[in-house]
């Protein structure tokens, strides 16, 4: 064809269209003929960009192969008179171009008689054909307009396209990007310099092919979509809105294409760079990227685009997250990920990716944290494993206000983190991948089960931050049923924890059942599951083997049950284990502080020695270490006791307490409880121990513990739980575990008035608490530990402290009196009280006598210092050891004697039992003799307060107990004591009480 053919054909068809349909048909035939004639391949020319298509057909084929959603390339022409179907030749698209009723212009490859360069071919290549079109054969009626109306609409279309894409056909327009190829083509054809809807492909292809670094092609498409969206919202006429919709569809198509293969258009930016830019836009607060754009782009891409487009995007987000800390701006990439996984298709494909889980045989918790896709998202923390975070957050630990501000910043960051993590995980649930989400959580929990051990190998386990964040997010999942009265609580299936569906508790110590009992019971349960599964298969017409049944007959559980027990296990290996490590951290910090104090106290002994320099350097190093540990302590407290997460954890443990009570006592009658079944007996001990550890740690270290306990009905439900289970060895066999529950009561009896009031608020607590504590006092005689002697002494010391506080409450005092009317139980309790009091006070007095002896030796410095250095050092250590032992024995012994003192004010007759009365008389006589007899001088040590030695209080209490037990049986027992009883001792004691006015005359006379 001659160079003038296209333009003459176009102009003739334009004039003919105004006269008759026949002319229009003739013009279309002429155009079709010229297109067929020009289909002879043009000679190739050197490519400007080797990565781009070198001809219109190659560009079209390349684009179609890279974007599966686009329609396939048009079929080859059957003859010279038959042209391939093109988007620009469809009737609906043709009618959209109001004002030009001529057929679509031929492809750029046929519009000139001279061959085009590669750049020209690339710019003019017919683009991929996935642009939405009207169905074949459909037509849209051309609107009827006056000539002036047609011109106005054509100008609006031109202006809209120019504004949306920021392009121009005028080389002197510096505001927009000039399109030289399209401008030259239109000038050659003699057409008006106006954009129309048929040029959208050509406009985008040429603009994408321009070598410009001002902005990436993807950002340009995003901005164009945003401008088009604003324009569409302004459109009131349907025909104008349809133009905007068409523009949006084309933008989305090309956006999808350049993310998969940007080299089709330009070598300036790669697809990876476009993907990275997409991630930046998703992460940005003020980008033009709209949710509608993302939604349509995701829908545009087929599943096979996941590995080429979205997995690199997910990897880029993950890498961005890995490089950030809690004090950095971690939220933007997290929000980007959250916005992507909201699309079910992406959530499904991501959960099926190989990076979702680790191999089961690996059993490495650290690999779950760092090598699964979700793992790094949960790693943010300010625990010691991230020391730089603590330094940045807590720069000033000397100021309470500065620490408070740092805590607020940390709390805000953690709230944002947990909200985003919950949103991300919940997206997988909504996408129908609940099982995948539970599998990942279960793997994170089961692979880290060793975290709860005394000496875990942290190189193979996830960090404290990872586990605590996971626990906080799981508590948010449980929030819909955290109310203990929620009907969903009834959906919790107790058999789950022993089923090993997600994790195994085979190696865990059980509440009551022995290992053999559990094994036998589980085998029977498994057999029942197998039998049920076989029956179901037979009903379905299948005949499986028993071997197949053994591997397939696994019970299934509801979502509530799964969340409840996975959260329980996660808090066990996460938050509760972190509490234990915090206790150890505080212990190390205390020891370091004491060593610094001792070194400073002895400064005069070493500062003039040859080792003074080395000692001073070591001391400075310790002081620097203690300062850093203070920063770590504040950061640990800030994250462990973050208010929102701690409140949810408290609600969860309150649910566990209520659930255990309902399982053990379905009718709510209180003690004595029904005999527990194997489901309860085989529960792991940590189910109860975690409750005790949580509340004990809160009471010791959390400043706002009163507010937390008073929140809702946490306090009342906790007291009920303690009151019932502390005294029921049939439900909790380990007395040491029950004693940990009783320690929680110290928070109530020595806490704020709001907590003390709770002790008398619930009738069940008033009725059950004192008998349960007295029963525990007896049960701890044998704890099963190699340190059981010291364990029982310490436990009974705490119990005595709590019992003393309860005695001051009228309701509980009546419970003491009621319990004393049960001879068997009360005699057991009183017997152990007397045993402890006798042993402790005897040991304490012996230690005081030794201390007095050493103090007398030290009064002669010359003789004392003349001893060999090794001997002198050993004597000094022994002296310090005696002091510690005396202090410990007196602390415990005073508490025991205090118990006898307050109980004998109301309870007398039970102490007159033959099993008790002689022993009470013997113990009182011996101590009275020590305090008022010849032994008294040997107990007058220096600084008695240092050892908790208070002879006045001891003498007052002993004289009071004598008066309280004013009973003929007791008086006879005192007089029978031939070892310690002496009338002179009583007279001496009365004289001391009178001279020092420690008691009134009437009290002394009664004594």
């Amino acid at each position: 064809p001659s160079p003038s053919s296209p333009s003459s054909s176009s102009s003739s068809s334009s004039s003919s269209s105004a006269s008759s349909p026949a002319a229009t048909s003739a013009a279309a035939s002429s155009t079709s003929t010229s297109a067929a004639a020009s289909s002879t391949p043009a000679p190739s020319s050197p490519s400007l960009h080797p990565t781009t298509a070198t001809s219109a057909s190659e560009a079209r084929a390349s684009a179609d192969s890279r974007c599966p959603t686009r329609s396939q390339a048009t079929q080859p022409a059957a003859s010279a008179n038959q042209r391939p179907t093109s988007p620009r030749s469809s009737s609906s698209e043709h009618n959209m171009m109001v004002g030009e009723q001529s057929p679509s212009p031929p492809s750029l490859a046929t519009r000139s008689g001279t061959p085009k360069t590669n750049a020209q071919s690339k710019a003019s290549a017919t683009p991929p054909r996935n642009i939405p079109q009207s169905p074949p054969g459909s037509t849209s009626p051309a609107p009827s307009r006056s000539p002036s109306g047609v011109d106005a609409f054509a100008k609006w279309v031109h202006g809209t396209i120019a504004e949306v894409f920021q392009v121009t056909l005028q080389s002197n327009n510096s505001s927009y990007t000039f399109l030289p190829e399209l401008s030259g083509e239109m000038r050659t054809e003699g057409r008006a310099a106006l954009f129309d809807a048929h040029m959208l492909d050509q406009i985008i292809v040429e603009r994408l092919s321009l070598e410009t670094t001002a902005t990436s092609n993807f950002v340009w498409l995003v901005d164009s979509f945003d401008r088009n969206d604003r324009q569409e919202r302004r459109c009131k006429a349907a025909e104008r809105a349809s133009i905007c919709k068409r523009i949006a569809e084309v933008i989305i198509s090309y956006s999808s294409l350049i993310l998969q293969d940007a080299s089709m258009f330009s070598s300036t930016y790669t697809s990876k760079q476009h993907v990275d830019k997409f991630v930046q836009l998703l992460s940005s607060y003020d980008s033009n990227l709209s949710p509608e754009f993302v939604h349509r782009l995701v829908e545009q891409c087929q599943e096979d685009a996941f590995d080429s487009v979205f997995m690199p995007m997910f990897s880029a987000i993950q890498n961005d997250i890995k490089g950030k800390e809690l004090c950095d701006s971690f939220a933007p990439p997290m929000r980007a990920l959250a916005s992507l996984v909201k699309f079910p298709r992406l959530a499904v494909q991501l959960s099926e990716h190989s990076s979702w889980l680790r191999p089961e045989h690996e059993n490495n918790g650290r690999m779950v944290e760092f090598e699964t896709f979700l793992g790094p998202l949960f790693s943010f923390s300010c625990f010691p494993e991230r020391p730089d975070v603590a330094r940045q957050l807590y720069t000033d630990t000397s100021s309470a206000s500065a620490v408070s501000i740092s805590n607020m910043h940390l709390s805000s960051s953690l709230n944002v983190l947990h909200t985003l993590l919950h949103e991300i995980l919940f997206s997988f649930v909504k996408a129908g991948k609940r099982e995948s989400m539970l599998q990942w959580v279960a793997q994170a929990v089961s692979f880290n089960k060793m975290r709860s051990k005394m000496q875990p190998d942290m190189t193979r386990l996830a960090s404290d931050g990872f586990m605590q964040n996971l626990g906080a997010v799981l508590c948010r999942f449980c929030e819909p049923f955290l109310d203990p009265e929620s009907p969903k609580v009834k959906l919790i299936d107790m058999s789950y924890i022993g089923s090993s569906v997600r994790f195994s508790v085979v190696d865990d110590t059980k509440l009551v059942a022995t290992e053999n009992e559990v094994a036998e019971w589980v085998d029977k349960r498994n057999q029942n599951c197998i039998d049920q599964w076989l029956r179901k298969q037979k009903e379905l017409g299948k005949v499986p083997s028993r071997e197949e049944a053994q591997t397939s007959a696994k019970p299934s559980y509801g979502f509530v049950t799964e969340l409840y027990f996975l959260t329980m296990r996660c808090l066990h290996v996460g938050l509760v284990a972190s509490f234990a490590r915090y206790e150890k951290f505080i212990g190390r910090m205390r020891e370091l502080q004491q060593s610094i104090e001792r070194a400073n106290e002895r400064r005069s002994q070493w500062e003039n020695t040859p080792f003074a320099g080395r000692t001073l350097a070591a001391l400075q190093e310790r002081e620097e270490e203690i300062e850093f540990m203070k920063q770590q302590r504040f950061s640990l407290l800030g994250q462990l006791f973050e208010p929102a997460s701690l409140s949810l954890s408290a609600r969860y443990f309150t649910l566990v307490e209520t659930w255990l009570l309902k399982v053990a006592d379905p009718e709510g009658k209180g003690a004595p409880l029904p005999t527990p079944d194997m489901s309860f007996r085989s529960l792991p001990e940590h189910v109860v121990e975690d409750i005790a550890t949580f509340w004990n740690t809160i009471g010791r270290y959390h400043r706002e513990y009163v507010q937390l306990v008073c929140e809702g009905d946490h306090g009342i439900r906790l007291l009920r739980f303690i009151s019932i289970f502390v005294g029921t060895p049939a439900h909790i066999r380990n007395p040491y575990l029950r004693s940990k529950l009783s320690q929680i009561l110290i928070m109530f009896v020595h806490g704020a008035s709001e907590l003390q009031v709770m002790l008398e608020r619930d009738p069940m607590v008033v009725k059950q608490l004192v008998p349960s504590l007295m029963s525990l006092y007896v049960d701890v005689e044998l704890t099963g530990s190699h340190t059981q002697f010291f364990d029982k002494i310490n436990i009974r010391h705490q119990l005595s402290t709590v019992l003393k506080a309860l005695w001051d409450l009228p309701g509980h005092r009546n419970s003491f009196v009621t319990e004393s009317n049960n001879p068997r139980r009360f005699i057991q309790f009183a017997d152990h009280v007397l045993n402890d009091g006798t042993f402790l006070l005897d040991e304490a007095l012996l230690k005081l006598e030794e201390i007095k002896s050493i103090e007398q030796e030290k009064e002669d410095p010359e003789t004392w210092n003349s001893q060999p250095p090794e001997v002198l050092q050993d004597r000094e250590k022994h002296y310090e050891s005696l002091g510690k032992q005396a202090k410990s024995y007196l602390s415990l012994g005073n508490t025991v004697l205090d118990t006898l003192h307050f109980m004998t004010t109301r309870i007398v007759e039970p102490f007159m039992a033959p099993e008790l009365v002689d022993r009470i008389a013997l113990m009182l006589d011996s101590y009275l003799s020590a305090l008022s007899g010849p032994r008294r001088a040997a107990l007058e040590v220096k600084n008695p307060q240092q050892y908790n030695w208070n002879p006045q209080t001891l003498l007052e209490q002993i004289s009071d107990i004598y008066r309280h037990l004013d009973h003929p049986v007791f008086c006879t027992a005192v007089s029978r004591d031939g070892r310690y009883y002496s009338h002179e001792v009583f007279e001496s004691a009365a004289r001391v009480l009178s001279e020092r006015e420690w008691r009134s005359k009437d009290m002394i006379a009664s004594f």
Side-chain angles (χ1 to χ4, degrees):
S2 63
S4 60
S5 296
S7 96
S8 61
S9 172
S10 177
S11 84
S12 65
S13 65
S14 178
S15 61
S16 299
S17 64
S19 58
S20 69
T24 301
S25 176
S29 176
S30 173
T31 303
S32 183
T33 302
S34 68
S38 64
S39 62
T40 304
S44 61
S45 59
S47 174
L48 296 176
H49 306 292
T51 59
T52 60
T54 57
S55 67
S57 61
E58 289 179 12
R60 181 164 56 248
S62 177
D64 287 337
S65 66
R66 286 165 171 78
C67 192
T69 61
R70 313 183 81 80
S71 59
Q72 297 298 322
T74 54
Q75 300 297 324
S79 65
N81 295 325
Q82 183 177 2
R83 190 178 71 168
T85 304
S86 166
R88 286 179 290 277
S89 64
S90 65
S91 60
S92 61
E93 290 183 11
H94 175 73
N95 289 332
M96 288 176 64
M97 184 51 199
V98 181
E100 286 190 43
Q101 296 295 328
S102 61
S104 302
S107 66
L108 296 179
T110 64
R111 289 178 182 171
S112 173
T114 59
K116 293 182 178 289
T117 66
N118 287 341
Q120 291 170 327
S121 299
K122 175 176 62 180
S124 61
T126 302
R129 310 216 170 173
N130 72 321
I131 301 171
Q133 304 172 30
S134 300
S138 66
T139 59
S140 301
S144 175
R145 293 187 182 82
S146 63
S148 61
V150 168
D151 292 339
F153 186 74
K155 290 179 180 179
W156 178 87
V157 172
H158 169 80
T160 296
I161 293 175
E163 171 65 24
V164 166
F165 293 109
Q166 302 282 284
V167 293
T168 180
L169 296 171
Q170 307 297 327
S171 60
N172 59 355
N173 187 341
S174 60
S175 300
Y176 290 169
T177 301
F178 176 55
L179 303 180
E181 296 295 331
L182 184 58
S183 175
E185 176 185 322
M186 296 178 72
R187 186 167 55 252
T188 300
E189 295 175 358
R191 289 191 292 159
L194 293 176
F195 293 123
D196 62 56
H198 296 298
M199 300 178 183
L200 291 177
D201 291 327
Q202 297 167 264
I203 293 169
I204 293 179
V205 169
E206 183 171 348
R207 171 59 182 78
L208 292 176
S209 302
L210 293 176
E211 295 297 320
T212 175
T213 58
T215 182
S216 76
N217 286 336
F218 185 77
V219 173
W220 172 70
L221 289 169
V222 169
D223 292 342
S224 299
F225 187 91
D226 180 66
R227 290 188 288 268
N228 182 70
D229 185 58
R230 293 198 301 269
Q231 178 64 42
E232 184 177 353
R233 287 197 296 268
R234 292 194 295 267
C235 292
K236 296 182 179 179
E239 53 197 359
R240 293 190 174 188
S242 67
I243 294 293
C244 292
K245 285 182 171 60
R246 170 69 183 279
I247 292 173
E249 291 167 356
V250 176
I251 291 173
I252 293 297
S253 296
Y254 281 97
S255 298
S256 170
L257 193 61
I258 68 167
L259 288 175
Q260 296 177 71
D261 188 1
S263 63
M264 296 178 60
F265 306 104
S266 171
S267 62
T268 303
Y269 291 94
T270 64
S271 292
K272 182 182 182 306
Q273 290 174 307
H274 289 310
V275 168
D276 292 342
K277 183 57 68 174
F278 191 7
V279 172
Q280 292 178 19
L281 295 177
L282 284 169
S283 304
S284 176
Y285 290 101
D286 55 356
S287 72
N288 292 330
L289 187 66
S290 66
E292 177 64 17
F293 178 92
V294 180
H295 172 74
R296 295 178 67 169
L297 181 63
V298 171
E299 294 300 318
Q300 179 73 28
C301 293
Q302 294 289 346
E303 290 185 3
D304 58 0
F306 179 78
D307 288 334
S308 61
V309 176
F310 292 105
M311 198 58 214
M313 196 177 301
F314 286 131
S315 297
I317 293 174
Q318 188 190 57
N319 291 333
D320 191 10
I321 291 172
K322 284 181 179 179
K324 295 186 180 297
E325 296 287 0
L326 192 60
C327 50
D328 298 331
S329 56
F330 64 87
M334 296 282 284
R335 287 195 177 94
L337 178 61
S339 64
L340 287 177
V341 296
K342 283 181 180 178
F343 298 100
R345 288 177 56 192
L346 295 184
V348 169
Q349 289 176 313
L350 181 57
S351 66
E352 294 173 354
H353 194 264
S354 59
S355 64
W356 184 257
L357 294 173
R358 299 300 302 172
E360 284 298 324
H361 64 82
E362 189 175 74
N363 196 20
N364 188 315
R366 185 155 290 265
M367 297 298 286
V368 175
E369 179 177 2
F370 293 106
E371 297 300 329
T372 63
F373 180 81
L374 292 178
L377 279 62
F378 288 80
S379 295
F380 293 98
S381 79
C382 60
F383 283 115
E385 61 250 18
R386 306 272 181 128
D388 293 338
V389 180
R391 288 192 179 97
Q392 293 182 48
L393 281 174
Y394 294 90
T395 55
D396 182 8
T397 58
S398 61
S399 168
S401 59
V403 171
S404 178
I405 293 173
S406 298
N407 284 336
M408 290 173 59
H409 290 164
L410 176 60
S411 177
S412 175
S413 297
L414 288 173
N415 269 313
V416 171
L417 174 66
H418 296 158
T419 300
L420 289 170
L421 290 174
H422 176 265
E423 182 181 343
I424 290 169
L425 280 189
F426 195 60
S427 294
F428 292 99
V429 176
K430 292 192 291 186
K433 300 302 291 183
R434 184 176 77 184
E435 178 64 20
S436 296
M437 187 275 284
L438 291 174
Q439 285 177 346
W440 182 82
V441 172
Q443 190 172 86
V445 170
S446 60
F447 279 18
N448 286 288
K449 65 180 180 180
M450 299 303 292
R451 279 177 48 87
S452 61
K453 303 303 179 182
M454 293 292 292
Q455 299 292 336
D457 178 11
M458 294 304 295
T459 61
R460 292 183 55 83
L461 299 171
S463 64
D464 288 323
F466 173 87
M467 295 307 304
Q468 189 185 356
N469 291 331
L470 180 57
V473 173
L474 288 177
C475 283
R476 293 191 178 214
F477 271 97
C478 294
E479 198 165 6
F481 58 88
L482 284 183
D483 181 1
E485 302 303 325
S486 169
K488 293 183 179 180
V489 176
K490 297 179 181 179
L491 301 176
I492 298 174
D493 189 341
M494 194 174 183
S495 66
Y496 177 93
I497 200 166
S499 66
S500 299
V501 170
R502 302 289 182 191
F503 55 86
S504 174
V505 295
V506 173
D507 299 329
D508 292 10
T509 304
K510 306 304 186 290
L511 284 177
V512 182
T514 64
E515 184 177 349
N516 291 335
E517 288 175 337
V518 172
E520 182 181 355
W521 176 67
V522 169
D523 287 344
K524 290 179 180 178
R525 286 167 55 84
N526 287 347
Q527 185 60 49
N528 291 337
C529 288
I530 292 172
D531 292 341
Q532 292 173 8
W533 189 82
L534 286 171
R535 284 196 298 270
K536 186 174 182 180
Q537 297 303 307
K538 290 178 180 179
E539 291 173 1
L540 297 174
K542 301 177 182 179
V543 187
S545 64
R546 180 159 291 273
E547 291 74 15
E548 182 182 354
Q550 289 175 345
T551 58
S552 304
K554 290 186 178 180
S556 59
Y557 296 92
F559 196 40
V560 171
T561 297
E562 295 260 22
L563 287 175
Y564 177 77
F565 285 107
L566 282 173
T567 303
M568 178 185 291
R569 193 68 170 179
C570 183
L571 292 177
H572 171 61
V573 301
L575 179 63
V576 175
S578 297
F579 278 167
R581 267 185 283 283
Y582 178 73
E583 291 267 10
K584 294 180 180 179
F585 173 84
I586 293 298
R588 292 195 304 271
M589 188 174 176
R590 188 181 299 115
E591 290 175 0
L592 183 61
Q593 184 66 48
Q594 290 173 352
S595 69
I596 293 174
E597 292 173 357
R598 285 195 299 268
N600 285 323
E601 289 172 359
R602 300 172 181 173
R603 180 180 290 268
S604 60
Q605 300 177 15
W606 55 261
E607 62 182 352
N608 294 322
T609 65
F611 306 103
R614 188 170 61 183
T615 305
L616 183 61
L619 181 60
Q620 291 175 345
E621 184 179 344
R622 290 179 183 180
E623 289 174 343
E624 291 175 1
E625 184 179 357
I626 201 70
E627 285 302 316
F628 177 56
M629 291 186 77
K630 288 179 180 178
Q631 287 182 326
Q632 289 185 314
R633 181 170 65 88
F634 282 116
S635 64
L636 280 167
L637 287 171
Q639 182 154 2
L640 286 173
F641 301 136
E642 190 277 312
S645 300
L646 197 64
S647 177
L648 277 176
S649 299
R651 291 178 61 192
Y652 177 81
F653 282 116
T654 300
L655 170 64
V656 177
E657 296 154 13
T658 308
W659 176 75
L660 286 171
L661 270 177
K662 287 183 177 179
V663 171
D665 185 18
E667 298 181 7
K669 295 181 178 179
L673 298 177
T675 303
D677 59 13
M678 276 299 297
S679 295
F680 189 96
R681 287 163 53 86
S682 61
L683 286 174
E685 274 192 352
H686 77 74
V687 176
V688 174
E689 189 171 13
D690 291 347
I691 296 172
T693 302
F694 177 81
W695 290 112
N696 280 321
T697 307
I698 295 299
R700 279 195 293 268
Y701 300 110
H702 186 39
R703 293 182 177 179
E704 305 297 332
Y705 73 93
V706 175
Q707 179 181 352
L708 185 66
V709 176
C710 293
E711 181 180 314
D713 55 358
H714 293 336
I716 293 298
R717 291 184 182 275
L718 178 58
L719 287 172
R720 289 176 188 166
F721 180 78
I722 295 171
S723 300
I724 295 297
F725 284 115
V726 157
T728 55
H731 289 75
I732 303 176
R733 182 181 55 188
N734 187 350
Y736 181 74
L737 175 55
R738 286 185 281 136
S739 72
K740 289 190 69 174
L741 288 177
S742 70
Q743 293 172 17
I744 301 173
L745 295 171
I746 296 176
M747 176 173 61
F748 286 89
V749 299
H750 291 163
S753 57
E754 299 95 317
L755 299 183
Q756 295 177 5
V757 169
M758 289 185 183
L759 290 167
E760 290 193 289
R761 185 179 298 173
D762 187 75
M764 179 181 289
V765 174
V766 173
K767 178 183 177 183
Q768 300 285 350
L769 184 54
V770 168
S772 293
L773 293 176
M774 293 173 72
S775 174
L776 178 61
Y777 196 102
V778 175
D779 293 341
V780 295
E781 182 68 23
L782 299 174
T783 63
S785 169
H786 66 282
T787 59
Q788 64 182 9
F789 173 77
F790 298 100
D791 290 341
K792 76 171 183 179
I793 294 299
N794 289 322
I795 292 170
R796 284 174 176 170
H797 171 65
Q798 294 169 351
L799 289 174
S800 298
T801 302
V802 174
L803 289 171
K804 171 65 168 63
L806 293 176
W807 179 267
D808 296 332
L809 303 175
H812 291 281
R813 188 183 305 131
N814 293 332
S815 295
F816 277 95
V817 176
T818 303
E819 186 66 11
S820 69
N821 294 327
N822 186 322
R824 183 183 62 83
R825 291 205 301 259
F826 184 79
I827 288 174
Q828 283 183 322
F829 169 74
D831 179 63
H832 287 92
V833 170
L834 294 174
N835 287 342
D836 294 342
T838 301
F839 170 79
L840 292 170
L841 290 176
D842 281 350
E843 289 295 315
L845 297 180
L846 289 174
K847 303 304 178 188
L848 288 174
E849 288 177 334
E850 287 192 66
I851 292 172
K852 176 66 173 179
S853 175
I854 295 177
E855 286 178 348
Q856 289 176 339
E857 290 183 44
K858 296 178 75 173
E859 289 177 357
D860 183 1
E862 185 176 345
T863 304
W864 177 261
N865 293 326
S866 65
Q867 301 177 89
E870 297 81 5
V871 175
L872 187 60
Q873 186 176 6
D874 289 342
R875 295 296 302 278
E876 287 285 0
K877 288 183 178 179
H878 182 58
Y879 178 70
E880 291 182 5
S881 176
L882 287 172
K884 292 179 181 178
Q885 293 179 52
K887 182 177 182 179
S888 175
Y889 286 135
L890 283 169
S891 297
L892 301 174
N894 290 339
T895 305
V896 173
L897 194 64
D898 198 31
T899 302
L900 278 177
H901 182 260
F902 72 74
M903 290 187 69
T904 54
T905 59
R906 286 278 304 270
I907 302 171
V908 175
E909 194 67 33
F911 283 107
M912 299 302 109
E915 298 91 338
L916 300 176
V917 66
D918 288 331
R919 298 183 58 206
I920 296 176
L922 179 64
M923 183 185 75
L924 294 176
D925 287 349
S926 67
Y927 297 144
L928 187 65
S929 175
L931 293 171
S932 303
R935 193 180 178 188
R936 179 177 60 183
L939 301 175
E940 294 179 353
V941 297
K942 297 178 180 178
N943 301 320
Q945 297 81 4
Q946 179 181 346
Y947 312 112
N948 292 328
W949 172 234
N950 192 335
Q952 174 185 345
T953 302
L954 207 58
L955 181 58
E956 290 173 347
Q957 287 186 333
I958 289 175
S959 66
D960 288 343
I961 295 174
Y962 275 112
R963 292 188 301 103
H964 297 161
L965 297 177
D966 185 7
H967 191 283
V969 175
F970 177 68
C971 293
T972 302
V974 171
S975 65
R976 280 199 303 263
D977 176 18
R979 183 177 179 184
Y980 295 108
Y981 172 71
S982 169
H983 186 69
E984 290 76 13
V985 169
F986 272 81
E987 289 182 340
S988 175
R991 197 163 42 249
V992 171
L993 291 171
S994 176
E995 290 175 355
R996 302 187 183 184
E997 298 182 352
W998 289 349
R999 284 292 183 262
S1000 67
K1001 292 182 179 180
D1002 292 340
M1003 298 174 81
I1004 295 172
S1006 175
F1007 166 66

